[in-house]
Amino acid sequence: MKDVVALGELLIDFAPVSTDDAGYPTLKAQPGGAPGNFLAALQQYGCSTALIGKVGDDAFGRLLIGTLDSLGIGTRGIIADACAFTTMAFVTLDGTGNRSFSFARKPGADTCLRTDEINRSLIEECRVFHFGTLSLTDEPARSATQAAVAFAKEQGKLVSFDPNLRKPLWPSEDAAKEQIEWGLHQADIVKISDEEIEFLWGLSPEEGAQKLLREYGVKLVYATLGPKGCHFANRQGCGQVDSPKGLHVVDTTGAGDIFGGSAMSQFLRLNKAPEELTVEEMRAVTRFACCAASLSTQTHGGITSVVPEEQVCAIL
């Protein structure tokens, strides 16, 4: 029995570590992909996890599978495809550590996952099924994701969703909105950013959270606010947690995913339905996740930037 199984992209993030006189960056390869970052946090904080997805049958694909294996994340749901390259993301950082992305993904192996390749036994054995929208940008991965979500719901699993909007990967903003809307309608637990709420509806984080609870059937919402922290809500109430102050930000890559995985780890310890969490329980979960995500920004990368639990507890 796995606590959480995620479906989606596993890729290489290339992050700049220096720049020459002509402005060309020296890049460092890091293991990444939103579901991988999410599961790495869960695994670090005491949960059992596995990933369903596809990488290229190439050096980077083998490295990524090896990294997940070394962390204890189950990899029997990952397929190595000789006909596609492992997806690569090139990260650009501004002066505050905030990142933007460009992708080598035409197609990337993660978009080539087929419905018949989904390891359904992993979904049958888990407590929570998690997905994002990068697996909804292209076929056949879109149909595979939709089939996996439908199967998880048939099996009575909790469904977790993170829109994880990356505009360069979509043919249009309308296409992105359509698939994000579909994902939101499937989910019990949603981690969504203030920027994504603004993109979808032009609402404040507080208004967006209430809309998800009221109109989409979501049971627990984390609306992240970047360096300001996170607004949380369910039918029991709502509140806000600030991020810890005084940390030096190097790279925010993966911080939102690590927030999501960290929050999920603490939620699962409570062993309650998401709609039944009290405001104080949600506050404690969110505080832990804000601290874990903030600490992850002090180094480069996503999967490898998750800090041990004792470091999180030290600043709680």
Side-chain angles (χ1 to χ4, degrees), residues 13 30-32 36-37 40 251 253-255 258 296 299-306:
D13 286 322
Q30 302 271 10
N37 301 333
D251 181 2
T253 302
I258 292 166
S296 77
T299 187
H300 287 288
I303 288 175
T304 56
S305 68
V306 184

Side-chain angles (χ1 to χ4, degrees), residues 77-288:
I78 302 175
I79 294 167
D81 189 341
C83 297
F85 287 110
T86 299
T87 297
M88 294 176 283
F90 296 89
V91 184
T92 303
L93 301 174
D94 66 17
T96 64
N98 284 318
R99 74 282 180 272
S100 57
F101 295 90
S102 57
F103 293 86
R105 193 187 188 226
K106 296 182 178 179
D110 65 295
T111 69
C112 299
L113 182 70
R114 303 191 310 268
T115 300
D116 63 287
E117 295 174 320
I118 295 168
N119 190 320
R120 292 175 180 250
S121 65
L122 285 172
I123 301 174
E124 288 176 326
E125 298 165 3
C126 74
R127 297 171 64 186
V128 179
F129 178 77
H130 175 79
F131 73 109
T133 55
L134 266 67
S135 61
L136 295 170
T137 60
D138 297 274
E139 291 290 358
R142 179 185 299 162
S143 293
T145 303
Q146 293 169 343
V149 171
F151 183 71
K153 292 173 75 71
E154 289 170 7
Q155 296 294 310
K157 310 300 180 181
L158 278 176
V159 175
S160 166
F161 177 63
D162 181 352
N164 195 32
L165 176 64
R166 298 288 179 265
K167 290 182 182 179
L169 292 176
W170 293 94
S172 68
E173 290 192 358
D174 286 343
K177 288 179 180 179
E178 178 183 354
Q179 295 304 317
I180 292 173
E181 290 274 359
W182 178 84
L184 292 170
H185 278 288
Q186 311 308 309
D188 300 297
I189 300 173
V190 168
K191 196 284 290 180
I192 188 169
S193 73
D194 51 356
E195 293 176 348
E196 289 159 347
I197 290 173
E198 170 66 27
F199 170 75
L200 288 170
W201 308 305
L203 300 176
S204 70
E206 296 81 6
E207 292 168 334
Q210 291 305 311
K211 183 179 182 71
L212 287 168
L213 295 174
R214 185 177 62 251
E215 300 178 22
Y216 289 73
V218 177
K219 298 172 182 176
L220 174 60
V221 180
Y222 306 104
T224 55
L225 312 173
K228 296 180 181 179
C230 179
H231 175 81
F232 58 82
N234 71 358
R235 71 182 185 185
Q236 306 297 331
C238 61
Q240 183 170 324
V241 168
D242 294 332
S243 293
K245 309 301 182 190
L247 299 178
H248 175 62
V249 176
V250 173
D251 181 2
T252 60
T253 302
D257 312 319
I258 292 166
F259 174 95
S262 303
M264 183 65 72
S265 75
Q266 303 307 296
F267 161 75
L268 289 174
R269 292 183 186 185
L270 295 171
N271 200 32
K272 295 177 70 173
E275 67 272 24
E276 294 177 355
L277 266 60
T278 68
V279 169
E280 287 311 306
E281 287 170 333
M282 288 188 289
R283 191 181 309 278
V285 166
T286 306
R287 285 184 66 228
F288 183 94

